Amino acid sequence: MENREQAVKRRLTRRHRASRWFRRISGLALLLAVAFLMFFFYDIISTGWSAFRQAEIQVPVSYTEEVMEIPAMAVPEAYEELVSRGWIRLLPRQMRENPDLLGTERREWVVASAPVDQYLKGRYATLDDEQRALVDQLQASDQVRLGFNTGFFTHGDSKIPEISGIWAALVGSILVITVTFLISFPIGVMTAIYLHEFADDNWFTQAIEVNINNLAAVPSIIFGLLGLAIFINFFGLPRSSALVGGLTLALMTLPIIIISTRAALAAVPDSIREAALGVGTSKWRMVRDHVLPLSLPGILTGTIIGIAQAMGETAPLLIVGMIAYIPDAPSSFTEATTVLPAQIFTWAGMPERAYTSRTAAGIIVLLAVLLTLNATAVYLRRRFERRW
Amino acid sequence: MRVQIGMSTQQTLLIFLASLALLSAVAFLLGRTKASQARDNGQHMHSQPGEYGQFAAVAVALPALLAGGVLVVLETFGVLELAAGLPAWVGVGAAALGMVYGLRRIEPELRARNQVETVIRWLLIAASLVSILTTLGIVVSILFEAIRFFRLVSLWEFITGTEWSPDAVFAGGQGQFGAVPLFAGTFMITGIAMAVALPIGLLSAIFMSEYASPAVRTAAKPVLEVLAGIPTVVYGFFAAITISPYVVALAEFIGLDASYKNALAPGVVMGIMIIPIISSLSDDVISAVPNSLREGALALGSTQAETIRHVVVPAALPGIISAALLGVSRALGETMIVVMAASLRPNLTANPLEDMTTVTVRIVDALTGDQAFDSAETLSAFALGLVLFVVTLSLNLVSTVLVRRFRQKYE
């Protein structure tokens, strides 16, 4: 008997130990997911942070006649590799716009070239010893500095890393999202209202519902194929334009908005509908004056989440041609446009190392926008959520 | 068949819509005035004056939009040849006729509210047709182009061929379109992703719903949601720049040879992307398991882990499987991570440290190049898209059915 009791006790200890281990392992899994997120943010921020600062260099600039022909003549030869080619290239235009500059000579702070920038940030740089020595010497006399990189927010894309920026992509993203919102929000809300408030439960309604749920899970790249075949090849809308990109993303966002709007409508208790109908309002007025206002926070939350998702989407936009090289911000919906995620993709594929930190900086901006949107959605939900 | 969107078309459209809005507004005001005058004269009106105004506005806008729309559609499909701007003029004409008709119809017996609401109802129905049309558009466009592809390349070769080299078309030879290496790469990366996502996602869900205190739960849920909100292009950059070199270094450390475009890095990162899908869906189904089951198991003397493993998880299994299927469907269709971190080279291998390509990578590659739209390579993207669409659709359907069966059990 003694033996058996001991065996049971032993087994019990083992089982309890196994139980504790299971708890630890499942906690570890959650910890792993959280740790990954931390590492991810650390990695992206540490890679991208330096791109918000840009090396500038003080050089003597002489605006002579020759500069109009050979812009590089404006700076002493030793500095030629140290200042940005993008700045040098703009000199003739600057001189044409300000004729007074001709014949003057002055010291100016100008954008330094990418190798100087990388060198100052302590990374591998393609400078020879002489150039290094010069930069060191300039640094000692405070003629080289790392300043806030305003150009990153005000320039468009460029093949010269130090003067490339996200402005064009930001404007493009706003244009595309405007189209997406204008199409998907009204149609999505109207569909949800019809399905939840008006439709009878018949095969037609059920077909629409199954269809919407499936659309929500279709891979985004398939929407790109649809956009290419229908909007571009069939309707002949301009390739790479904000219009086509926005329409494609609108079809992708539509199911998300419909599903969340339906959930918001379903959360409004029937007593409110019955009260409205009971005093003789028509069905549409009941929806417009009572159900919709009450479910509006929920609808907006779902819409913001859908729009945020569309804003981070890249794959379908690649298919409809939105990876064009766009140096200037687009000014209409039919011009060739790029968006922030597509710009990140383009930069990620650039061979120059200077683009790596710019890519990560672009990612930081994108994540900041998306997290703000999502936080707004969560705030809306918390602030206006009503339990009935 | 092409509509040229020139500046003039845009302007015409804008002017048309603006004049329509103006006419509708005028009709609304006139209709409301007429109705309220009639009411002031002591007549008993069926609806409110504003509703008569709405009726008049609809009588203006509806025929105009219909007439203009029908003409534009006919022109688009080449049935009619019309002078530029004619649809807009016809539309404005229809609007004017509608205004006369709408204002004349305003009488005490007219059920303006009912009429307007019928129109609204039809508008709502039209809106819900858009989602149907989207599906139809996907099916038709992909199917149509895929059929054109299969006229050039036999279906059998596509499904069973082991060599994918579409570029050979340009070298003068015949392009090879055997998709097996692409399928293999896709399944390899999906497999790696699920090997990461399934255990971590499921165990996190178990921890959150069975063990965690409410405080931990409310802190951990948003973290996982953030993971779900990170754009895939960002994950792709992370996989290519950060994880891939680690994989190579690790492989070197244990004496293996890894490519910088190995399948492991995108697979692992994709797995991390899928964790929140698995965990949030599993969390829902595990929380939906009634407490009586847990209490029953605990009362019989099982430990908490045994209760979870032998009672809670089996009860939630259909939901968990459906979450896993959704995860697989996401992994199969994921594009940016593999475009950025996986290779372009079709490679039939079982070694995840080698470079492999996937279906989605080749779709993007085929459509972002400079090929003519009807070249076999461009069309092959649609054939691959068709396969992807059919497979993910079936996975989603199975998953939906599973969830539905499961829900019925406890309600």
Side-chain angles (χ1 to χ4, degrees):
Chain A
M1 283 319 270
E2 189 61 24
N3 250 348
R4 206 173 146 201
E5 202 183 309
Q6 269 178 348
V8 167
K9 262 190 183 155
R10 245 201 330 273
R11 209 164 61 219
L12 205 58
T13 334
R14 210 167 51 228
R15 283 171 57 202
H16 280 298
R17 202 187 307 132
S19 186
R20 280 197 299 276
W21 270 108
F22 187 72
R23 186 193 164 121
R24 272 178 217 144
I25 288 174
S26 57
L28 199 70
L30 185 61
L31 218 59
L32 213 62
V34 175
F36 168 78
L37 192 71
M38 305 283 224
F39 173 64
F40 168 81
F41 274 110
Y42 166 76
D43 183 65
I44 294 289
I45 291 175
S46 65
T47 314
W49 200 243
S50 65
F52 289 113
R53 288 157 68 75
Q54 170 71 46
E56 288 164 15
I57 187 166
Q58 199 182 34
V59 288
V61 190
S62 43
Y63 293 96
T64 57
E65 285 282 355
E66 287 166 306
V67 175
M68 295 296 284
E69 303 297 321
I70 312 163
M73 297 289 279
V75 292
E77 217 182 314
Y79 291 91
E80 221 180 289
E81 296 282 307
L82 303 185
V83 298
S84 165
R85 275 189 299 131
W87 173 77
I88 289 181
R89 208 178 273 178
L90 284 176
L91 276 176
R93 190 164 74 178
Q94 215 183 331
M95 288 176 69
R96 241 172 285 133
E97 281 164 9
N98 302 315
D100 297 346
L101 282 174
L102 190 65
T104 59
E105 196 166 321
R106 54 172 103 170
R107 295 187 78 79
E108 277 181 33
W109 282 102
V110 304
V111 177
S113 68
V116 174
D117 189 52
Q118 298 284 304
Y119 178 64
L120 286 181
K121 289 169 184 167
R123 294 208 205 95
Y124 170 82
T126 52
L127 292 174
D128 57 31
D129 290 340
E130 232 168 280
Q131 289 167 333
R132 276 164 207 254
L134 181 57
V135 173
D136 288 339
Q137 184 199 328
L138 286 172
Q139 200 171 15
S141 55
D142 278 338
Q143 284 174 301
V144 173
R145 67 178 178 198
L146 280 174
F148 181 72
N149 192 356
T150 28
F152 184 68
F153 294 97
T154 56
H155 293 159
D157 193 9
S158 170
K159 299 284 183 216
I160 303 166
E162 63 269 19
I163 60 160
S164 60
I166 54 168
W167 174 244
L170 266 180
V171 173
S173 271
I174 291 170
L175 289 182
V176 168
I177 288 304
T178 308
V179 175
T180 303
F181 176 78
L182 288 181
I183 304 286
S184 63
F185 181 68
I187 295 183
V189 172
M190 281 162 75
T191 304
I193 290 177
Y194 175 71
L195 288 179
H196 195 262
E197 303 290 336
F198 287 91
D200 312 316
D201 190 25
N202 54 25
W203 66 268
F204 177 70
T205 323
Q206 278 168 8
I208 296 180
E209 255 179 70
V210 170
N211 180 39
I212 288 166
N213 287 333
N214 279 322
L215 271 186
V218 166
S220 61
I221 192 172
I222 300 284
F223 285 95
L225 293 178
L226 168 80
L228 178 64
I230 302 284
F231 297 136
I232 296 180
N233 287 327
F234 186 72
F235 286 113
L237 298 178
R239 210 179 136 127
S240 310
S241 65
L243 183 64
V244 168
L247 283 171
T248 307
L249 290 184
L251 295 185
M252 209 191 77
T253 316
L254 198 57
I256 305 175
I257 294 185
I258 295 174
I259 290 171
S260 57
T261 305
R262 283 209 62 173
L265 292 174
V268 176
D270 273 343
S271 55
I272 288 186
R273 295 188 181 82
E274 283 152 12
L277 293 176
V279 294
T281 25
S282 64
K283 207 159 184 184
W284 166 246
R285 292 218 141 179
M286 163 202 95
V287 172
R288 194 190 68 184
D289 297 339
H290 300 281
V291 180
L292 263 188
L294 287 173
S295 53
L296 201 59
I299 295 176
L300 288 183
T301 307
T303 307
I304 292 174
I305 289 172
I307 290 292
Q309 196 175 329
M311 238 187 140
E313 196 55 71
T314 325
L317 298 181
L318 295 190
I319 303 292
V320 296
M322 298 190 81
I323 38 167
Y325 168 65
I326 312 287
D328 296 308
S331 56
S332 85
F333 289 106
T334 47
E335 257 173 73
T337 303
T338 192
V339 292
L340 209 42
Q343 183 71 74
I344 289 168
F345 173 68
T346 321
W347 280 348
M350 290 290 206
E352 290 96 335
R353 290 180 71 99
Y355 279 109
T356 307
S357 59
R358 294 205 164 233
T359 315
I363 287 174
I364 294 173
V365 173
L366 179 66
L367 284 180
V369 173
L370 295 187
L371 288 180
T372 313
L373 279 177
N374 282 316
T376 314
V378 171
Y379 171 77
L380 268 178
R381 189 164 54 198
R382 291 252 170 89
R383 172 79 178 68
F384 294 103
E385 194 177 46
R386 286 170 83 161
R387 297 232 172 255
W388 302 91
Chain B
M1 284 242 292
R2 288 182 154 235
V3 187
Q4 288 302 323
I5 299 282
M7 216 42 212
S8 64
T9 322
Q10 270 184 40
Q11 275 169 352
T12 319
L13 189 66
L14 274 180
I15 294 172
F16 172 64
L17 290 179
S19 51
L20 203 58
L22 191 73
L23 282 174
S24 300
V26 170
F28 174 78
L29 290 176
L30 287 178
R32 194 177 62 179
T33 316
K34 185 176 174 189
S36 55
Q37 273 170 2
R39 195 172 63 171
D40 292 344
N41 290 341
Q43 278 179 306
H44 180 76
M45 308 289 282
H46 169 270
S47 308
Q48 299 289 321
E51 285 158 355
Y52 285 101
Q54 287 169 8
F55 174 80
V58 167
V60 168
L62 201 61
L65 289 174
L66 278 180
V70 165
L71 285 182
V72 168
V73 167
L74 286 180
E75 198 184 9
T76 311
F77 284 94
V79 182
L80 291 175
E81 284 286 331
L82 298 174
L86 187 68
W89 286 114
V90 172
V92 172
L97 287 178
M99 168 126 59
V100 174
Y101 166 80
L103 291 176
R104 285 185 60 135
R105 279 285 310 273
I106 294 177
E107 284 161 4
E109 304 86 67
L110 175 73
R111 297 164 163 257
R113 179 171 58 232
N114 307 33
Q115 301 266 7
V116 169
E117 289 188 359
T118 314
V119 172
I120 288 175
R121 201 188 157 100
W122 279 104
L123 270 181
L124 296 178
I125 293 178
S128 51
L129 278 179
V130 170
S131 72
I132 294 263
L133 285 179
T134 307
T135 311
L136 217 62
I138 290 177
V139 172
V140 168
S141 61
I142 295 178
L143 208 60
F144 189 68
E145 307 291 349
I147 287 172
R148 282 173 68 192
F149 173 75
F150 288 123
R151 282 209 197 111
L152 300 173
V153 178
S154 82
L155 181 63
W156 184 246
E157 189 202 324
F158 179 73
I159 298 180
T160 60
T162 55
E163 195 183 337
W164 183 274
S165 53
D167 307 329
V169 174
F170 292 96
Q174 186 67 41
Q176 295 286 312
F177 290 96
V180 170
L182 312 192
F183 297 149
T186 307
F187 284 129
M188 169 68 81
I189 291 180
T190 303
I192 297 169
M194 291 316 289
V196 171
L198 202 55
I200 297 186
L202 184 56
L203 286 172
S204 310
I206 289 176
F207 186 79
M208 282 201 296
S209 58
E210 299 291 318
Y211 292 118
S213 63
V216 172
R217 205 181 144 86
T218 44
K221 270 211 138 175
V223 171
L224 290 177
E225 273 173 33
V226 167
L227 222 47
I230 294 174
T232 54
V233 68
V234 177
Y235 277 121
F237 174 77
F238 182 71
I241 300 291
T242 306
I243 301 295
S244 213
Y246 279 137
V247 169
V248 173
L250 196 71
E252 234 165 61
F253 180 70
I254 49 176
L256 289 172
D257 207 20
S259 151
Y260 270 97
K261 293 264 177 189
N262 59 67
L264 197 56
V268 168
V269 173
M270 201 187 279
I272 291 162
M273 181 194 81
I274 293 169
I275 289 174
I277 299 176
I278 308 269
S279 71
S280 77
L281 285 174
S282 307
D283 192 12
D284 289 347
V285 285
I286 291 174
S287 306
V289 172
N291 258 337
S292 54
L293 288 186
R294 290 188 190 87
E295 283 152 8
L298 290 172
L300 287 173
S302 23
T303 64
Q304 203 173 359
E306 285 161 355
T307 308
I308 292 167
R309 282 217 306 269
H310 301 304
V311 177
V312 178
V313 169
L317 201 59
I320 293 171
I321 292 176
S322 103
L325 289 182
L326 276 187
V328 170
S329 137
R330 262 306 283 279
L332 291 176
E334 175 44 47
T335 311
M336 292 320 292
I337 296 178
V338 281
V339 165
M340 294 169 83
S343 151
L344 257 177
R345 186 170 72 96
N347 183 9
L348 194 56
T349 173
N351 179 1
L353 295 176
E354 278 184 41
D355 52 343
M356 300 177 90
T357 195
T358 71
V359 170
T360 47
V361 172
R362 294 309 307 205
I363 292 179
V364 170
D365 184 57
L367 292 177
T368 49
D370 299 325
Q371 294 85 11
F373 187 74
D374 46 5
S375 77
E377 181 171 6
T378 311
L379 292 177
S380 75
F382 287 90
L384 292 172
L386 181 67
V387 174
L388 189 62
F389 181 66
V390 169
V391 172
T392 50
L393 192 71
S394 340
L395 284 172
N396 298 336
L397 283 177
V398 172
S399 152
T400 318
V401 169
L402 275 176
V403 168
R404 210 168 270 172
R405 284 249 170 103
F406 175 69
R407 287 259 161 86
Q408 280 167 352
K409 223 161 110 185
Y410 290 113
E411 267 172 7

